[in-house]
Amino acid sequence: MPGVVFDLDGTLVHSAPDIHAAVNKALAEEGGAPFTLAEITGFIGNGVPVLIQRVLAARGEAPDAHRQAQLQGRFMAHYEADPATLTSVYPGAEAAIRHLRAEGWRIGLCTNKPVGASRQILSLFGLLELFDAIIGGDSLPQRKPDPAPLTATAAALKEEVVLYVGDSEVDAATARAAGLRFALFTEGYRHAPVHELPHHGLFSHHDELPDLLKHLLA
Ligand SMILES: O=C(O)COP(=O)(O)O
Ligand SMILES: [Mg+2]
């Protein structure tokens, strides 16, 4: 049977509100003004270090390793203390994954979010046991769009054919680099128009996903 690897943020879960809240809590501790949800959503996709780099750059701060580590640490403390209150699983996502598993598909997760927080969120939504392999942004030295995390997740599924499902430019680039067929979720956190992201299939609701993935196998 085939395998499918999912991205997490903007693909399976709408997590931007909790990421946004944790950034603003960390900034409030130092008297910093809050960002809007749209601003922070625009910074998501390349992992926590890049999120914090983008936050500091948006506030006009020159790159500084100590400052980066300090704000990143406080962000993660707030995020891991409350990672899911404002987060939701996209409608139909759990049912689609359960449907695929019932048909014998093996399921992977490949996310730039740290693996601890990712497992915490999946567990809080009762989804953790659906995954046969999980790679986070800190599981390997590389993060997406380097293909290494996706290649490692696909290999862990031990299936000949593996597809990838994601929402962003990072995911489209990672799929291409890894040589996997890619299904793009159109309602996630991408910036560019759909036609600018290389993809093999599109879906706007997870109810469409099982049929789309079977089509991509053909
Ligand atoms: O943590 C991020 O920046 C994005 O995570 P994702 O790879 O699950 O979209
Ligand atoms: Mg994503």
Side-chain angles (χ1 to χ4, degrees):
M1 283 304 289
V4 55
V5 178
F6 287 92
D7 168 58
L8 184 59
D9 291 337
T11 297
L12 291 179
V13 295
H14 178 36
S15 48
D18 277 310
I19 296 169
H20 172 240
V23 168
N24 284 344
K25 284 175 190 166
L27 291 173
E29 284 170 345
E30 55 187 40
F35 281 86
T36 66
L37 176 57
E39 286 171 320
I40 294 302
T41 303
F43 295 163
I44 294 171
N46 289 84
V48 171
V50 173
L51 168 73
I52 301 302
Q53 284 165 17
R54 290 169 176 168
V55 163
L56 293 172
R59 289 286 152 87
E61 292 195 32
D64 174 275
H66 174 71
R67 172 68 171 138
Q68 168 81 22
Q70 177 223 28
L71 187 59
Q72 189 172 316
R74 296 217 319 281
F75 163 78
M76 281 307 296
H78 284 298
Y79 191 53
E80 290 184 323
D82 188 7
T85 303
L86 304 174
T87 292
S88 55
V89 181
Y90 286 106
E94 177 174 355
I97 294 174
R98 290 188 184 279
H99 177 104
L100 290 162
R101 285 193 70 83
E103 289 192 339
W105 291 66
R106 286 173 61 75
I107 312 290
L109 187 90
C110 181
T111 174
N112 274 343
K113 188 192 300 298
V115 72
S118 301
R119 297 181 69 89
Q120 198 181 354
I121 290 164
L122 292 173
S123 177
L124 286 167
F125 285 108
L127 301 175
L128 187 57
E129 83 272 2
L130 298 180
F131 293 87
D132 300 296
I134 297 176
I135 293 267
D138 52 355
S139 301
L140 299 177
Q142 306 91 337
R143 281 194 304 274
K144 301 182 293 184
D146 187 298
L150 179 53
T151 303
T153 314
L157 298 183
K158 297 180 173 39
E159 296 293 354
E160 204 167 303
V161 177
V162 178
L163 308 178
Y164 186 48
V165 180
D167 71 296
S168 71
E169 290 82 350
V170 171
D171 296 314
T174 308
R176 172 164 285 187
L180 297 190
R181 272 163 281 171
F182 177 56
L184 174 63
F185 178 50
T186 59
E187 308 311 299
Y189 302 154
R190 64 185 161 84
H191 305 158
V194 161
H195 69 267
E196 289 181 15
L197 277 66
H199 59 272
H200 297 87
L202 292 174
F203 67 106
S204 59
H205 192 290
H206 287 72
D207 289 349
E208 305 160 31
L209 192 56
D211 285 345
L212 173 59
L213 293 180
K214 283 173 216 151
H215 173 72
L216 292 185
L217 287 179

